[in-house]
Amino acid sequence: APLAILTIDKQGNILTTNQMMLDFLGSPSKEETMKINVLTFPPLKDKGVSAQFKKCLDTGNKIKFENNYKSKWGKTLYYRLYLNPIINNKNNITGVLAIAEDISKDKKYEKKLLDAKNKAEEADRQKDIFLANISHELRTPLNSIIGFSDILKEDENLELEQKKYAQYINEGGHHLLKLINDIIDFTTIKGKQIKINNEYIETKDLIASIIPVAKNQFYHFNKKNIELITNSTDKIKDTFIKVDKIRFTQIATNLINNAIKYTNKGSIILNYYTKNNEFIFTVKDTGIGIPKNKQKIIFERFRQADEKLSREYEGSGLGLTIATELTKLMNGRIWLESTLKKGSTFFVAFPIANKNKEKDNKKNNTTKYNDNEYNNMRFTILLVEDNVNNKIYIRNILEEYKFNILEANNGKEAVEIFKNSTNIDAILMDLQMPIMDGFEATKIIRNINPDIPIIAQTALAFQEDKENAINAGCNDILTKPFSKKELLFKVIKNIKV
């Protein structure tokens, strides 16, 4: 037999053995092997073999187990042992049949696989840590770059040339932010970590929310030679699809961005209609077009129809990849039609949801703020922020609207200030700080006062980080970089007037 075999009596004495068992143990002879008592031999007792042998005798059950072992003759191996009770014709157990299998090679291979798996998981973990850190390190200064350039653009004391320079800084900041967001999104999609929150949404509401975004993109790219054309939303009235509204807007924005980027004159047309029980959204441009043999690769990551164009048309090369993956995750499909030098049309289609499905009637909690209404109300905000530039940016905005500002450089300072103040109306809490981070500070403050509004301001971009902030006790989240409008909206929404 190609297996090591022993027969053992009830007292633990070895009765018979085969040559494979001798090779298995490295034993010089049968006689030497049969001197071993399975119940009393110390190495067998230490490895649990004796106990398993006794259990087989006592219960009459078959037993299988694995372990490593070093024989008295120096042979080291990993084995799998099968113990079977030997039963005579009177149904009495007279001994045990032991069959051993050398699985050392299997275990070595298994260990290699496990080590490789652990290394891959560690590399993946380190990648996530790196991305989170690099996102934080880039978003934090971007908050100052975009924020202050926004303020400068509106400064009436600046000359026209100076305002133009501020606009260039602002555009550069937004471009860098788009690259960061693309990389983060691509990584979360690739790692299957992205969360899709589908809900039943009326398509006319989706389109109504996209049109202002499209107009803003036209302003951002400063393309004066192209016209934005949109159709009326009335023709898709009472049509519902089940999608994640934020992700749908992201798909549409990516397609619109591409159309604007590759079109220098003519028009971009946003169209939407229903066909074959699908809602179809299209972005048509009069741009450079895409040759037939390149129309598939542009959906691949980091690819463009003409790789030389990457110098002329900036971008990560991830926009269409992200749009494609997000569309698939929401059970939709995406495709294009294009003619070189005449333009392209990108199509995104989603199944129409059952019209009898109840529309999500979540109340819109949008809080509108009015400059005059909130001026002079003298709310007190505890601003917790370790970055000096961001602190100045936030303070300037809030002081313009007559907020009182208390400042803390870290979570520990924030807790002490909160304990000694009775008039704080809301807290703007940075999450990553030295000494004590925002998560820990929020938990402590929340134990002191369960009702105080705490708004996390963070450069961490992953959904998991945002969930951790909410779980720590934050009421809301501001993701850096944020605009003046976003800051005021979040603060005013959360303050209990």
Side-chain angles (χ1 to χ4, degrees), residues 174 178 210-223 252-254 256-258 260:
H174 279 289
K178 176 71 167 60
I210 287 168
I211 291 172
V213 175
K215 290 178 178 177
N216 185 60
Q217 293 307 109
F218 264 73
Y219 171 77
H220 173 68
F221 280 97
N222 197 26
K223 292 284 186 85
T253 303
N254 277 341
I256 293 165
N257 281 351
N258 265 15
I260 297 172

Side-chain angles (χ1 to χ4, degrees), residues 20-47:
M20 281 294 292
M21 180 58 79
L22 304 186
D23 298 338
F24 187 83
L25 297 172
S27 172
S29 66
K30 286 186 179 182
E31 290 74 25
E32 287 296 314
T33 304
M34 294 173 71
K35 288 178 182 178
I36 296 172
N37 185 286
V38 176
L39 281 173
T40 61
F41 188 54
L44 292 179
K45 290 177 74 174
D46 293 343
K47 289 296 182 180

Side-chain angles (χ1 to χ4, degrees), residues 379-393:
F379 292 119
T380 298
I381 306 295
L382 174 56
L383 172 58
V384 190
E385 171 65 72
D386 66 316
N387 184 280
V388 175
N389 292 338
N390 281 333
K391 195 183 294 181
I392 294 170
Y393 170 60

Side-chain angles (χ1 to χ4, degrees), residues 69-283:
Y69 180 68
K70 185 174 182 179
S71 76
K72 64 181 289 187
W73 300 284
K75 182 79 176 283
T76 302
L77 69 160
Y78 212 105
Y79 64 90
R80 183 178 294 125
L81 186 63
Y82 303 88
L83 299 177
N84 300 272
I86 299 172
I87 302 170
N88 64 14
N89 54 7
K90 294 180 180 178
N91 211 31
N92 295 322
I93 296 173
T94 62
V96 170
L97 172 68
I99 300 174
E101 181 182 6
D102 187 349
I103 56 171
S104 301
K105 289 182 180 178
D106 292 346
K107 285 297 175 182
K108 284 180 182 177
Y109 182 65
E110 186 179 296
K111 186 177 183 304
K112 283 184 180 179
L113 285 177
L114 186 61
D115 288 345
K117 176 176 175 287
N118 291 337
K119 283 181 181 178
E121 287 176 350
E122 177 61 17
D124 199 49
R125 191 180 72 84
Q126 291 296 333
K127 178 202 69 179
D128 289 344
I129 292 171
F130 171 77
L131 280 171
N133 287 338
I134 203 69
S135 169
H136 180 270
E137 293 305 313
L138 289 170
R139 284 171 179 271
T140 298
L142 272 176
N143 202 46
S144 302
I145 293 167
I146 294 174
F148 283 125
S149 58
D150 272 335
I151 292 172
L152 288 173
K153 287 192 304 176
E154 298 172 6
D155 191 341
E156 296 300 327
N157 296 318
L158 289 185
E159 296 177 4
L160 186 62
E161 190 77 6
Q162 292 171 320
K163 285 188 176 184
K164 190 187 297 182
Y165 295 153
Q167 176 67 27
Y168 294 155
I169 295 169
N170 193 264
E171 288 174 1
H174 279 289
H175 177 65
L176 182 55
L177 179 61
K178 176 71 167 60
L179 293 177
I180 296 167
N181 288 340
D182 280 353
I183 292 168
I184 295 295
D185 279 341
F186 175 72
T187 304
T188 51
I189 290 170
K190 189 170 177 283
K192 302 189 187 312
Q193 296 170 320
I194 197 163
K195 291 188 177 179
I196 299 295
N197 300 308
N198 287 335
E199 55 183 334
Y200 291 99
I201 302 175
E202 193 166 1
T203 51
K204 72 178 181 65
D205 293 337
L206 276 178
I207 298 303
S209 67
I210 287 168
I211 291 172
V213 175
K215 290 178 178 177
N216 185 60
Q217 293 307 109
F218 264 73
Y219 171 77
H220 173 68
F221 280 97
N222 197 26
K223 292 284 186 85
K224 296 178 180 177
N225 295 326
I226 54 177
E227 180 184 7
L228 175 65
I229 302 171
T230 60
N231 288 310
S232 168
T233 57
D234 290 341
K235 64 180 182 179
I236 52 171
K237 190 177 180 182
D238 298 326
T239 301
F240 291 82
I241 57 176
K242 192 175 184 181
V243 293
D244 183 319
K245 184 176 181 179
I246 293 173
R247 296 302 179 182
F248 181 90
T249 304
Q250 186 177 355
I251 294 166
T253 303
N254 277 341
L255 297 182
I256 293 165
N257 281 351
N258 265 15
I260 297 172
K261 187 162 65 171
Y262 293 107
T263 303
N264 292 318
K265 62 179 180 178
S267 62
I268 292 171
I269 302 171
L270 306 185
N271 197 13
Y272 25 87
Y273 53 91
T274 59
K275 183 179 179 181
N276 298 330
N277 207 37
E278 284 185 314
F279 166 73
I280 300 173
F281 172 76
T282 71
V283 180

Side-chain angles (χ1 to χ4, degrees), residues 352-365:
I352 294 174
N354 187 342
K355 290 184 180 180
N356 294 323
K357 289 281 186 183
E358 289 187 12
K359 180 182 176 182
D360 284 358
N361 287 320
K362 296 176 182 176
K363 291 184 179 179
N364 187 348
N365 292 320

Side-chain angles (χ1 to χ4, degrees), residues 378-471:
R378 309 303 292 173
F379 292 119
T380 298
I381 306 295
L382 174 56
L383 172 58
V384 190
E385 171 65 72
D386 66 316
N387 184 280
V388 175
N389 292 338
N390 281 333
K391 195 183 294 181
I392 294 170
Y393 170 60
I394 296 167
R395 187 175 65 228
N396 284 352
I397 292 173
L398 294 178
E399 285 181 345
E400 180 187 344
Y401 285 81
K402 311 303 180 187
F403 286 91
N404 293 315
I405 308 298
L406 301 175
E407 294 183 5
N409 296 309
N410 56 65
K412 186 177 180 182
E413 286 185 18
V415 171
E416 290 304 314
I417 291 172
F418 188 78
K419 284 179 179 177
N420 297 313
S421 303
T422 57
N423 63 334
I424 294 174
D425 296 293
I427 300 172
L428 276 168
M429 180 71 75
D430 189 25
L431 294 181
Q432 284 197 320
M433 296 178 291
I435 303 176
M436 180 187 289
D437 64 29
F439 296 102
E440 185 64 26
T442 297
K443 289 176 184 176
I444 295 171
I445 291 171
R446 187 57 73 214
N447 285 331
I448 299 169
N449 185 331
D451 299 319
I452 184 75
I454 302 176
I455 304 162
Q457 39 147 346
T458 177
L460 299 170
F462 292 103
Q463 183 63 30
E464 180 183 353
D465 299 312
K466 296 173 184 177
E467 289 173 359
N468 288 339
I470 297 299
N471 292 336

Side-chain angles (χ1 to χ4, degrees), residues 310-324:
S310 60
R311 291 292 180 188
E312 183 179 351
Y313 300 99
E314 295 179 335
S316 64
L318 291 172
L320 282 177
T321 304
I322 292 168
T324 301

